[in-house]
Amino acid sequence: MFAEQLHGGLHEFLELTGGLSIAEIARKLRCCSRTIRNYVAGRSPIPWHRIELLRLLALDARTAPENQTVPTPSDEPAAIANIDPDPAAPDVPPAELLAGVGVYAPHFLSSRRSFALYVRGWNVVEKIRCAKREGRFSAVLARWHEQAVELPRMWRSGRMFAGIGPPAYVDGKTDL
């Protein structure tokens, strides 16, 4: 009985995913596709919270009004960059740096220091410039706009985060 409370069933998982591809399921659940493949193959038990999230997403899809507007990047952002602009890269503002890191490596948003090290170490500025030239950066901004609504606050809790400084973003919904 206790194991049933911790894990969901594969049958229910597959019903709730409704024939989506493994990549689409992974994107919805915000995990890697290998995790989903392990669930489907039976190599890993499916945690109960994954099933619950799929139930909530299905409920939202059923109850959403048909004329619901999709937020555009011009809407007020859910997260605002808490970092200084890079004087060496005036063409890449802090909001774009935050979006680029937030989409590809969100765990580096936990502190300004880890964010700065990631941006410098992985040459994020040049990657953003390249994506802008190739016309791919608008998709990153759209994905960031969706993700920023659900920034996990749990990254900032616990003893491990004591004394690491402020995060690389602030909540755009609260007054500064």
Side-chain angles (χ1 to χ4, degrees):
M1 180 173 163
F2 183 68
E4 291 173 5
Q5 293 174 350
L6 293 177
H7 304 293
L10 178 61
H11 179 69
E12 186 177 15
F13 181 80
L14 293 175
E15 278 182 9
L16 290 168
T17 56
L20 295 173
S21 71
I22 287 181
E24 291 170 327
I25 297 168
R27 189 174 42 78
K28 277 188 170 204
L29 294 177
R30 302 202 191 283
C31 63
C32 68
S33 57
R34 178 176 287 174
T35 300
I36 303 302
R37 285 194 301 270
N38 286 340
Y39 293 162
V40 172
R43 291 187 292 264
S44 297
I46 303 169
W48 66 270
H49 67 276
R50 300 276 191 209
I51 299 286
E52 286 301 314
L53 180 59
L54 287 171
R55 283 185 190 137
L56 289 172
L57 291 172
L59 180 65
D60 284 347
R62 285 193 305 264
T63 59
E66 291 182 20
N67 59 357
Q68 182 179 12
T69 60
V70 177
T72 59
S74 63
D75 292 342
E76 179 148 339
I80 299 171
N82 191 21
I83 52 176
D84 296 326
D86 185 359
D91 58 325
V92 181
E96 290 180 352
L97 283 172
L98 187 70
V101 175
V103 167
Y104 294 111
H107 47 285
F108 285 99
L109 299 178
S110 64
S111 76
R112 286 186 199 172
R113 182 176 182 268
S114 65
F115 177 82
L117 290 173
Y118 181 80
V119 168
R120 194 173 332 121
W122 288 97
N123 201 8
V124 173
V125 171
E126 190 55 40
K127 289 178 182 178
I128 289 174
R129 287 176 179 156
C130 180
K132 283 181 177 180
R133 278 192 305 269
E134 295 173 1
R136 295 180 288 121
F137 197 65
S138 60
V140 171
L141 290 175
R143 189 165 169 206
W144 170 244
H145 193 71
E146 292 173 6
Q147 267 182 276
V149 174
E150 304 169 6
L151 277 175
R153 305 273 183 237
M154 64 193 130
W155 292 335
R156 300 288 301 168
S157 62
R159 293 181 306 186
M160 184 171 86
F161 293 102
I164 67 167
Y169 64 91
V170 293
D171 189 4
K173 303 292 184 204
T174 60
D175 293 331
L176 296 176

